[in-house]
Amino acid sequence: LVRSNPLYGRGCSQAFIAGHALADALAESHDPIERARAYDRAIRRELKPFWDAMVRQDKAAIRRAENEQNPDYKPSAKARWIKSFVEDAINPATRGDMKVLRAVMRPFQMLEAPSVWLRNPFVVGRVLRMWMKPKSSKAHLYVPKLGPDRGEMLRELNLSPIQNAA
């Protein structure tokens, strides 16, 4: 809880949730051991799902960075499918459909558990419909490319991934 990734911007939200959990635990009992247990239960219930999701996302980002350093890396079918789902379905849907954006932002703002929106058939249906659209019809919903990706940059600078790591 103390050492979460600041990329997610949840420090204040986590502090508020932890503060309320502490206040509730202190009000619930005068026994210090029971207070500690109540606080632990609340923290595990309210914050651990976000912690677990963050750890999974961070590990995936590290794997992607490592794979990008490997010129022989060939993504699996599953990796290509996930990348397409994120880039060609979720991202354009959040940019072009306010209902999808709201559903995705609720867990991002810690108002719902991290994967709740993925279990909502209404939202998933809208995302899947976006995925089925041709890229040309949703081109305006893609984030503009602001520069070369890492691989392109390394090639343009005639750097190998190993040189870059040094």
Side-chain angles (χ1 to χ4, degrees):
L1 296 178
V2 175
R3 296 180 57 203
S4 65
N5 186 336
L7 172 68
Y8 300 97
R10 294 181 175 150
C12 289
S13 297
Q14 286 180 339
F16 284 123
I17 291 168
H20 280 278
L22 179 59
D24 291 346
L26 293 174
E28 188 176 301
S29 172
H30 291 291
D31 176 19
I33 293 173
E34 184 48 42
R35 284 176 164 176
R37 287 181 178 146
Y39 180 70
D40 181 67
R41 283 190 303 272
I43 292 301
R44 288 179 187 278
R45 180 182 63 249
E46 299 296 329
L47 295 179
K48 190 166 184 322
F50 295 97
W51 170 265
D52 292 343
M54 178 191 64
V55 169
R56 283 190 305 275
Q57 291 167 356
D58 286 352
K59 284 181 180 179
I62 290 167
R63 268 193 314 275
R64 283 191 306 274
E66 288 170 346
N67 290 339
E68 204 157 311
Q69 295 289 318
N70 179 358
D72 298 324
Y73 172 72
K74 300 284 187 265
S76 67
K78 180 181 176 183
R80 292 190 311 271
W81 180 84
I82 291 170
K83 183 177 190 232
S84 175
F85 186 65
V86 171
E87 292 179 0
D88 301 321
I90 295 171
N91 289 351
T94 59
R95 291 175 62 90
D97 187 326
M98 187 58 69
K99 292 180 181 183
V100 173
L101 176 63
R102 286 182 180 136
V104 170
M105 292 306 292
R106 289 188 60 77
F108 188 79
Q109 301 298 327
M110 298 180 75
L111 299 171
E112 291 178 347
S115 61
V116 165
W117 72 273
L118 280 170
R119 293 189 303 263
N120 180 327
F122 173 79
V123 174
V124 171
R126 294 172 84 96
V127 170
L128 290 174
R129 278 193 293 283
M130 181 64 74
W131 201 11
M132 294 181 342
K133 289 183 180 182
K135 286 186 180 184
S136 59
S137 72
K138 58 186 174 187
H140 64 289
L141 299 174
Y142 286 92
V143 176
K145 187 174 177 184
L146 300 176
D149 64 28
R150 183 179 185 84
E152 291 171 304
M153 182 182 70
L154 292 173
R155 282 189 298 280
E156 287 296 319
L157 296 173
N158 292 320
L159 294 174
S160 71
I162 295 168
Q163 288 174 317
N164 186 47

